[in-house]
Amino acid sequence: MTISMSIREDQVKALANETRIEILRVLDDPATHFSTHFSTQESADPTEFGVCVHLIAAHFGVSPPTMSRHIELLRRAGFITARRRQKWTYCSRDEAALSDYAAWLRASLNIREPDHAG
């Protein structure tokens, strides 16, 4: 898969912010990070469909519009999918895109596994 340099730039920008990195971390295991909020997300299963942007915003203590800006950059970078259902937007990690980015970064910077011999 060939990814344009503009998408790679969005990916670098997306990961240049600790909040966006933490969003990716918590979306990795929604059952753990959003379990107290699951009862309030009745329109879709957070583990199967994704976590509502409003719940993510509440988790981080920011307004939904602020969280939406973070989500939009992560979406443009391809790291998350955002799906609409009724009037809500739900987010999930895109594992293939994250894996592709990690492989591209390793290859682009010639990162090798450290030699643990000796």
Side-chain angles (χ1 to χ4, degrees), residues 60-73:
F60 286 92
V62 299
S63 70
T66 297
M67 184 53 62
S68 291
R69 286 190 294 276
H70 287 299
I71 295 299
E72 178 57 22
L73 186 49

Side-chain angles (χ1 to χ4, degrees), residues 1 8 17 20-21 24 30 34 36 44-46 55 60 70-73 81 93 99 106 117:
M1 165 180 11
R8 293 295 185 207
N17 178 281
R20 289 189 289 270
I21 291 171
L24 291 171
F34 297 97
T36 59
D45 181 325
L55 293 182
F60 286 92
H70 287 299
I71 295 299
E72 178 57 22
L73 186 49
T81 58
R93 286 173 35 136
S99 180
R106 279 191 300 275

